[in-house]
Amino acid sequence: MEKFQTLRTTGVPLPLENVDTDQIIPARFLKATTREGFGENLFRDWRTNADGSPKADFVLNNPRYAGEILVAGKNFGCGSSREHAAWALYDAGFRAVISSCFADIFRGNALNTGLLPLQVSDEVLARLLAAIETDPQLELIVDLPSQTLAVPAWGETFSFAIDAYKKECLINGYDDIDFLVNQKPAIEAFEKQRAWTW
Amino acid sequence: MPNTLFDKIWDAHIVRSIEGLDVVYIDRHLIHEVTSPQAFDEIAARNLPLFRPSQILATADHNVPTLHQDRPIQEPLSRLQVEKLTENCQKYGIELYGLGHPRQGIVHIIGPELGLTQPGITIVCGDSHTSTHGAFGAVAFGIGTSQVAQVMASQCLLLNRPQRMRISVEGDLRPGVTAKDLILYVISQLGTGGATGYFVEYAGSAVRALSMEGRMTVCNMSIEMGARGGLIAPDATTLAYVEGRPFAPKGEAWNDAVAYWQTLHSDDDATFEAEYTYQAADIMPMITYGTNPGMGIPLTGHVPSEVPASEAESFDKSLKYMGFERGESLLGKQIDYVFIGSCTNARIEDLRTVAAYVQGKQKADHVEAIIVPGSKQVEQQAIAEGIDKIFAAAGFELREPGCSACLAMNEDKIPAGAYCVATSNRNFEGRQGPGSRTLLASPLVAAITAVQGRIVDITKYLN
């Protein structure tokens, strides 16, 4: 996993609520057996017509918008547990997603992928979406060590919550496997004393 | 100290706690072909052994064909994924119920029917509908592929304890109202993100009165309101279901198990961070009109006319996709497909419900009606009971087991623009194939819709 420290970039607005993982990456693209290449099919059915041509009205096809942060509506990532959704966003160049609510499994998958799920209030989200649509060059600065999202044009900085351990993992590029493997003596001891062995 | 059912099980599985996170021991790990290959690669890349391969069980379900399962899979990528699973299971010594195996089936159908799913245990799988197993009073939840690798390497996960929610449904369900209607109703009340951050316990007399199959349907869809999982305290119904199944405890171990399982219930004065109570009498046979499972209404109801401004864009996009209007009634809408299957409703009880209604009747000519059993065992049982002949006579096609048109990773797709009444769990855009339009409903509603060829008030058609 790549290290995540700070991010100075612009945002791509997707002002829809309940964006589910079947939209982020449709099931028919889950057949790959490696982690690579999922970005090509990110939002495939919103992004392209049946003949593969781009849909002009979808934000990822709009040259006005670029940047490494997807700014999405409430309840982002609901539905399937497919980690491929986080892989697809990361593979397409996104390093953070801002929303006012993330589905639990998606949040975990994103953190395990090195993609920061950054939760803000409904009010801040609405302001961000409106501001980016007006000014696609609006600069956003995410600083993970201080857990802040700065919008310099507004002269405002918002703090966000993240689990302390997961923050360390992202900053250092660690994942849970090494940690858990190192717990083996405790796990084996636990197995010996647990009540249910049937 | 009073405790909830969820906390009793969770606490019993904590290996240690660090900085607010728990190292949680996992008793059973179920895997399938879609979310495991990259996890096996991760393990191989780090040169790690599997910590407890005997606690992993594999099946092939998501993209297996439902016709000619005795022949090689035609679709190259589907075939490759199933082959990868087979190779990995052989390499690491994991029990695999693959194609052709008499125990093959949808991962969440075979766990319970084999007695692998038991009260008081923790179960994970790289699939969000792992919540199904909570029907037995287990803590069961879906995980991502990185976590699949973590469980392979350590039999544990590092987790935050979710908050606790209790949803009670009291009283008797009306005729024609089933477990599926109960959960579609609850999700329509709470919304598709209404239980995000919570683990849900279902309680109340209407829940207690459900069969194990019905309870599985309810817990299965917990994820559709954002819950991490759902569970129901084990009782006599649970014990009667588990006893005698291949992996159920036997003899003295059974008695020990039952003694332990009887302690698994929320204490009377246990507190929950959120509580909701609904009346069973308020629940009518349900159907969804939109593109998330929270967009459900009674069959005789109307699509909402008004929604909050922040939701308007998503709401209208959804209605446009479905070809419906605000305020409209769905009664009389012609249906093209009926799909009876999925981990939500492809158990023997579901097939019996459909058969009981369609016996001596015919599906409407313009409807294609597909029934995909949840497992080989369900298929065999249906044949043994003569249900297959009832389906054939009524024009329904009984296929071979798998996830099928629930998520259309195999050949079973609904064409763009077509309407499908499905007993599955998701009506997301394109879920059953690009452009497909899914209306979620119970097996009984699906059966009646197939015969009538259009959406009707089923209470007028009950046998």
Side-chain angles (χ1 to χ4, degrees), chain B residues 212-235:
Chain B
M212 281 315 296
E213 285 87 349
R215 295 178 189 189
M216 285 186 252
T217 299
V218 169
C219 289
N220 172 277
M221 292 193 75
S222 304
I223 184 70
E224 310 307 345
M225 51 188 171
R228 205 67 187 78
L231 81 175
I232 296 172
D235 60 8

Side-chain angles (χ1 to χ4, degrees), chain A residues 17 31 34 83 104 175 191, chain B residues 25 46 52 146 197 314 409:
Chain A
E17 298 194 343
K31 297 185 186 190
T34 66
E83 195 165 314
D104 290 331
D175 59 34
E191 285 178 321
Chain B
Y25 190 80
R46 293 166 187 248
R52 294 288 179 258
S146 293
S314 304
M409 282 191 75

Side-chain angles (χ1 to χ4, degrees), chain B residues 8-324:
Chain B
K8 286 180 184 179
I9 302 171
W10 186 271
D11 288 341
H13 286 81
I14 296 177
V15 174
R16 57 182 297 209
S17 299
I18 305 147
E19 294 179 28
L21 289 168
D22 296 327
V23 177
V24 177
Y25 190 80
I26 304 302
D27 295 308
R28 300 236 195 289
H29 186 193
L30 308 173
I31 63 170
H32 59 85
E33 76 277 14
V34 180
T35 56
S36 68
Q38 294 90 347
F40 279 115
D41 284 352
E42 189 74 45
I43 294 292
R46 293 166 187 248
N47 206 19
L48 289 167
L50 292 201
F51 187 62
R52 294 288 179 258
S54 64
Q55 286 168 240
I56 307 177
L57 181 80
T59 189
D61 56 4
H62 276 61
N63 55 35
V64 301
T66 56
L67 293 170
H68 311 301
Q69 288 188 348
D70 54 329
R71 299 182 198 164
I73 299 175
Q74 292 295 305
E75 216 276 309
L77 288 174
S78 293
R79 189 172 66 241
L80 177 66
Q81 262 196 345
V82 173
E83 283 172 359
K84 275 266 177 204
L85 180 69
T86 308
E87 282 167 25
N88 281 320
C89 288
Q90 281 168 355
K91 178 178 167 186
Y92 289 102
I94 295 169
E95 179 100 27
L96 168 66
Y97 298 156
L99 277 184
H101 195 288
R103 288 176 170 173
Q104 179 265 336
I106 303 175
V107 64
H108 309 308
I109 302 268
I110 65 173
E113 77 184 4
L114 294 173
L116 280 158
T117 304
Q118 296 167 12
I121 65 172
T122 49
I123 305 177
V124 297
C125 174
D127 186 287
S128 59
H129 293 107
T130 309
S131 59
T132 311
H133 307 267
F136 292 78
V139 166
F141 52 92
I143 56 176
T145 296
S146 293
Q147 292 174 304
V148 171
Q150 291 161 24
V151 180
M152 285 176 172
S154 70
Q155 209 54 39
C156 288
L157 287 168
L158 190 58
L159 299 167
N160 278 307
R161 184 188 298 248
Q163 294 193 289
R164 281 72 74 189
M165 176 186 287
R166 181 160 59 190
I167 296 175
S168 303
V169 185
E170 302 290 354
D172 297 325
L173 293 171
R174 293 167 178 270
V177 175
T178 65
K180 183 63 163 287
D181 303 298
L182 185 157
I183 191 63
L184 283 173
Y185 174 81
V186 169
I187 301 168
S188 75
Q189 300 296 304
L190 282 176
T192 188
T196 299
Y198 291 92
F199 217 97
V200 173
E201 178 176 346
Y202 299 97
S205 55
V207 171
R208 299 244 70 84
L210 294 174
S211 65
M212 281 315 296
E213 285 87 349
R215 295 178 189 189
M216 285 186 252
T217 299
V218 169
C219 289
N220 172 277
M221 292 193 75
S222 304
I223 184 70
E224 310 307 345
M225 51 188 171
R228 205 67 187 78
L231 81 175
I232 296 172
D235 60 8
T237 303
T238 322
L239 300 187
Y241 184 97
V242 175
E243 190 170 15
R245 292 187 183 263
F247 289 90
K250 309 267 185 318
E252 194 57 34
W254 172 258
N255 295 334
D256 292 347
V258 169
Y260 177 55
W261 296 347
Q262 283 169 343
T263 68
L264 297 176
H265 53 80
S266 289
D267 297 327
D268 288 344
D269 39 3
T271 53
F272 293 78
E273 276 94 354
E275 281 227 52
Y276 296 92
T277 300
Y278 301 104
Q279 298 305 318
D282 292 341
I283 307 175
M284 306 301 283
M286 297 285 290
I287 194 147
T288 61
Y289 60 87
T291 56
N292 75 54
M295 301 172 85
I297 50 172
L299 278 165
T300 53
H302 291 79
V303 175
S305 308
E306 302 294 329
V307 293
S310 67
E311 295 169 22
E313 189 168 350
S314 304
F315 186 76
D316 290 331
K317 180 180 192 301
S318 179
L319 292 190
K320 187 178 172 206
Y321 181 87
M322 292 300 293
F324 297 144

Side-chain angles (χ1 to χ4, degrees), chain B residues 411-424:
Chain B
E411 297 87 343
D412 305 343
K413 295 176 184 16
I414 307 302
Y419 287 102
C420 178
V421 167
T423 68
S424 50

